[in-house]
Amino acid sequence: MSCTVRALSVAEPGGPIVEIEYEAAPLGPLEVEVEVTHCGVCSTDAGLIDDKYGRSKFPLVAGHEAVGVVSAVGAEVTGLQIGTRVGVGATAGACFHCEWCLRGQQQLCPDKDDTAFRGLGGGFASHVRASDWRYATPIPDSMTSGDAAPLLCAGATVFSAIVRHNVRPTDHVAVIGLGGLGHLAVQFLAKWGCHVTVISSTAAKRNDALELGAHDFLDSSEGLTQANGSFDFVLSTVSANLPWDTYLATLRPHGTLSMLGVFGGTMNIAPLSLILGERTLSGGLTGPPSMFRSMMEFPDRHAIRPLTETYPVAAISRALDSVRNGTPRYRAVIEF
Amino acid sequence: MSCTVRALSVAEPGGPIVEIEYEAAPLGPLEVEVEVTHCGVCSTDAGLIDDKYGRSKFPLVAGHEAVGVVSAVGAEVTGLQIGTRVGVGATAGACFHCEWCLRGQQQLCPDKDDTAFRGLGGGFASHVRASDWRYATPIPDSMTSGDAAPLLCAGATVFSAIVRHNVRPTDHVAVIGLGGLGHLAVQFLAKWGCHVTVISSTAAKRNDALELGAHDFLDSSEGLTQANGSFDFVLSTVSANLPWDTYLATLRPHGTLSMLGVFGGTMNIAPLSLILGERTLSGGLTGPPSMFRSMMEFPDRHAIRPLTETYPVAAISRALDSVRNGTPRYRAVIEF
């Protein structure tokens, strides 16, 4: 079984998007093929196209928030049928036999299949594959495919951090940055039961923050000392090197600052920022398949939805430029 | 009730030790007075005498690993009798009514009474007080007072980190530094059931490390890349600014680096050191009274004992110099 894939490819770093066609290899026994209807655009996609991480393979098809319908399944796929609506995120497979996979922490599998680093094979295409069907997450009937797409990376990354750090409904939490990740984090945390503060340097986002469920908004350009000792959990969703001691100071004792954004350079942290108050600094990846399943259930129950800007395929370059400039309110989605 | 205290005091930063006498205030209702027989010497004592932290009050009596016999109790002390052998560590009291005290995390009490920062009132004296009797920890009969003393700060600091981070007997752990804290951490972790590696820049400590229960020894001056991805938990017991990304790289996924030592400057950490592998960096204080009680039981059951060098009172300056130079093998104790 094989199929002709039409994909939006770039041939070299920063190069223009061109439509290509290629014949996909025969489907492996655990693989599923998904006919893509929607794919979110993440800043990592722009970074991959621009080879910002020095790890891109060209020709490159980006896209790792793909939603569509299962169009073919491998011979040993036992739990997914052709015709099911599913999403494929930044990870499309894992070995399911290493220590981390056996522990249910497949995001730590050393042999996991990163959709974003495959070269060809991303979600900006007519078809995308999960190399293991357990990485094709069914989408609830009540959720549109355009709304589901941003959950597959932006949503999963923040939801996973909330789950992994055992954030409790009684916690006071802060979200640094109101963008693709942040606007979902605010909704998740508000429905989690927490007191939620958005910290942003863009004062104009105050109203959006409050409408999304935040209880408070702090304009970081005015300083944060008023918030010292306030938060049990601070989630940084920005890819910027901030004055981290200032942010660690906003934590209550035993609080955690969880870092999701990658940036160049090093964080500078005074040891007493961690020692006094026994504070924690932690980094996070996207979660395992079990987390994707509970993440899809939670927004369904709580009417959590991303705010999206939908672009037709022909406008993908414009969508990417918008992401490069950080202007989407709050996530760009390509409709195929 | 009051008493005349003979204390080993310094009048000014770095000044000589002189014996002084003063009348202690009447004993408060929850206070206990301890007639000191032994007191450990911590590098923080030398730092306080030298006003290295800029927070010392002079005249200053250092010492915060005091062991002795309860000689007087306040009117409302309900659980401790005159004649009981106890230890008083770096903290001598807390409010027992704030949020953190009520949660059993008295080390986070904003009004806790730090023995080391009182000015007069440290353990290098004939008598020391716990401002709350719950901070006078009974010493098991089988343990000598000279052995108990170093547990009250060095021991408590490492034991508390092990407990707080839920270190498991199946874990592979590393201890950075084999000194006053490190040589106790190795013993605790070996008896915890862990696989223990000592990381030190002093190759001559290899034999001591193995005799104390370590399974492996790494000479950090030869590089650590061979240990990449090895440890579930790394405990830094040194007060030095190390190449932290190198140490974070020795963690397994989901591993924690716990920092106990304070130093000047800032730690420089690449965000991917935390994000890849979802690693954690954390700081720790000494623990609450409940932890002190279980810490006293654990070495009693497992024959864990500090290695000490005992000095008579007259030699306290020599003991302090030894601590300043990092030469004790492995903890200096003053005998009164």
Side-chain angles (χ1 to χ4, degrees):
Chain A
M1 197 175 348
S2 76
C3 93
T4 302
V5 178
R6 296 183 314 285
L8 299 162
S9 169
V10 290
E12 56 186 21
I17 304 270
V18 291
E19 196 171 320
I20 62 166
E21 276 193 16
Y22 67 93
E23 287 301 304
L27 208 59
L30 291 170
E31 281 189 300
V32 297
E33 186 168 77
V34 178
E35 190 171 348
V36 178
T37 62
H38 297 78
C39 191
V41 186
C42 178
S43 62
T44 309
D45 292 316
L48 282 165
I49 288 170
D50 301 340
D51 201 15
K52 205 166 119 181
Y53 317 111
R55 290 178 55 189
S56 301
K57 290 184 201 165
F58 294 90
L60 181 143
V61 177
H64 57 275
E65 290 182 345
V67 176
V69 175
V70 175
S71 52
V73 298
E76 292 174 27
V77 173
T78 51
L80 201 58
Q81 283 78 41
I82 289 175
T84 304
R85 201 162 53 110
V86 297
V88 177
T91 308
C95 79
F96 285 94
H97 59 71
C98 74
E99 172 186 1
W100 304 104
C101 283
L102 291 175
R103 286 189 185 186
Q105 302 288 333
Q106 291 88 357
Q107 78 277 19
L108 303 172
C109 173
D111 294 322
K112 71 181 199 284
D113 177 22
D114 288 315
T115 321
F117 291 100
R118 285 168 162 176
L120 291 179
F124 295 158
S126 62
H127 298 78
V128 72
R129 287 186 179 183
S131 51
D132 188 293
W133 64 272
R134 286 162 282 197
Y135 272 89
T137 307
I139 309 294
D141 289 343
S142 63
M143 192 182 292
T144 68
S145 297
D147 282 347
L151 295 177
L152 292 159
C153 175
T157 304
V158 298
F159 192 87
S160 164
I162 296 167
V163 170
R164 189 162 75 82
H165 290 291
N166 295 313
V167 174
R168 297 164 304 177
T170 50
D171 285 347
H172 286 227
V173 303
V175 175
I176 306 176
L178 193 70
L181 277 68
H183 92 290
L184 287 167
V186 170
Q187 295 184 71
F188 284 136
L189 288 164
K191 296 298 186 183
W192 217 256
C194 301
H195 182 280
V196 184
T197 299
V198 168
I199 304 178
S200 167
S201 59
T202 310
K205 289 187 176 172
R206 177 185 294 269
N207 282 348
D208 281 3
L210 300 179
E211 277 178 23
L212 287 164
H215 303 88
D216 204 354
F217 180 91
L218 287 176
D219 179 350
S220 59
S221 65
E222 295 178 356
L224 296 175
T225 48
Q226 59 183 310
N228 278 357
S230 295
F231 307 120
D232 299 286
F233 181 66
V234 173
L235 191 63
S236 173
T237 70
V238 299
S239 294
N241 203 352
L242 301 176
W244 297 107
D245 284 334
T246 303
Y247 285 89
L248 286 167
T250 69
L251 289 174
R252 282 159 44 84
H254 279 191
T256 294
L257 170 58
S258 174
M259 298 269 315
L260 302 177
V262 179
F263 45 83
T266 60
M267 310 172 72
N268 299 319
I269 293 158
L272 282 178
S273 293
L274 295 170
I275 290 173
L276 298 180
E278 300 187 332
R279 297 182 172 100
T280 292
L281 176 67
S282 191
L285 297 165
T286 191
S290 61
M291 190 281 301
F292 275 77
R293 279 156 175 72
S294 72
M295 181 190 63
M296 285 298 171
E297 185 192 339
F298 192 79
D300 192 41
R301 183 156 73 247
H302 291 289
I304 292 169
R305 291 292 181 272
L307 300 179
T308 59
E309 297 177 354
T310 305
Y311 293 80
V313 172
I316 187 169
S317 297
R318 194 154 53 80
L320 281 162
D321 282 340
S322 175
V323 167
R324 284 187 184 99
N325 297 328
T327 53
R329 292 293 178 273
Y330 282 92
R331 197 71 166 177
V333 175
I334 309 294
E335 193 166 25
F336 288 83
Chain B
M1 196 174 348
S2 75
C3 94
T4 303
V5 179
R6 296 185 313 286
L8 299 162
S9 170
V10 290
E12 56 186 20
I17 304 270
V18 292
E19 195 172 322
I20 62 167
E21 276 194 15
Y22 68 93
E23 287 300 305
L27 208 60
L30 291 171
E31 281 189 302
V32 297
E33 186 168 76
V34 178
E35 190 172 348
V36 178
T37 62
H38 297 76
C39 192
V41 185
C42 178
S43 62
T44 309
D45 292 317
L48 282 165
I49 289 169
D50 301 339
D51 200 15
K52 205 166 120 181
Y53 317 112
R55 290 178 56 187
S56 301
K57 290 184 199 164
F58 294 90
L60 181 142
V61 178
H64 57 274
E65 289 182 345
V67 176
V69 175
V70 175
S71 53
V73 299
E76 292 174 26
V77 172
T78 50
L80 202 57
Q81 282 79 41
I82 288 174
T84 305
R85 200 163 54 109
V86 297
V88 178
T91 309
C95 78
F96 284 95
H97 59 71
C98 74
E99 172 186 1
W100 304 104
C101 283
L102 291 176
R103 286 189 185 186
Q105 300 289 333
Q106 292 87 359
Q107 78 278 18
L108 302 172
C109 173
D111 295 321
K112 71 181 198 283
D113 177 22
D114 287 315
T115 321
F117 290 101
R118 285 168 163 179
L120 291 178
F124 295 158
S126 62
H127 299 79
V128 72
R129 287 185 179 184
S131 51
D132 189 293
W133 63 271
R134 286 163 283 198
Y135 272 89
T137 308
I139 309 293
D141 290 343
S142 64
M143 193 182 291
T144 68
S145 297
D147 282 348
L151 295 177
L152 292 159
C153 175
T157 303
V158 297
F159 192 87
S160 164
I162 296 166
V163 170
R164 190 162 75 82
H165 291 290
N166 296 313
V167 175
R168 297 164 304 176
T170 49
D171 284 347
H172 285 230
V173 303
V175 176
I176 306 176
L178 194 69
L181 277 70
H183 92 289
L184 288 167
V186 171
Q187 295 184 72
F188 284 137
L189 288 164
K191 295 298 186 183
W192 217 256
C194 302
H195 182 280
V196 184
T197 298
V198 168
I199 303 178
S200 167
S201 58
T202 310
K205 289 187 177 173
R206 177 186 294 269
N207 282 347
D208 281 3
L210 300 180
E211 277 178 22
L212 288 163
H215 303 87
D216 204 353
F217 179 91
L218 286 177
D219 179 350
S220 58
S221 66
E222 294 178 357
L224 297 175
T225 48
Q226 60 183 310
N228 278 357
S230 295
F231 307 120
D232 299 287
F233 181 65
V234 173
L235 190 62
S236 173
T237 71
V238 299
S239 294
N241 203 352
L242 301 176
W244 297 107
D245 284 334
T246 303
Y247 286 88
L248 286 167
T250 69
L251 289 174
R252 282 157 46 84
H254 281 191
T256 293
L257 169 58
S258 174
M259 298 269 314
L260 302 177
V262 179
F263 46 83
T266 59
M267 312 172 72
N268 299 320
I269 293 157
L272 282 178
S273 293
L274 296 169
I275 290 173
L276 297 180
E278 301 187 331
R279 297 181 171 102
T280 292
L281 177 67
S282 191
L285 297 164
T286 190
S290 61
M291 190 282 301
F292 275 78
R293 279 155 176 73
S294 72
M295 181 191 62
M296 284 298 170
E297 185 192 337
F298 192 78
D300 192 43
R301 182 156 73 247
H302 291 290
I304 292 169
R305 291 292 182 272
L307 301 179
T308 58
E309 296 176 355
T310 305
Y311 294 79
V313 172
I316 187 169
S317 296
R318 195 154 52 82
L320 282 163
D321 282 340
S322 174
V323 168
R324 284 186 184 100
N325 298 328
T327 54
R329 292 293 177 273
Y330 282 93
R331 198 71 165 176
V333 175
I334 308 294
E335 191 166 26
F336 288 83

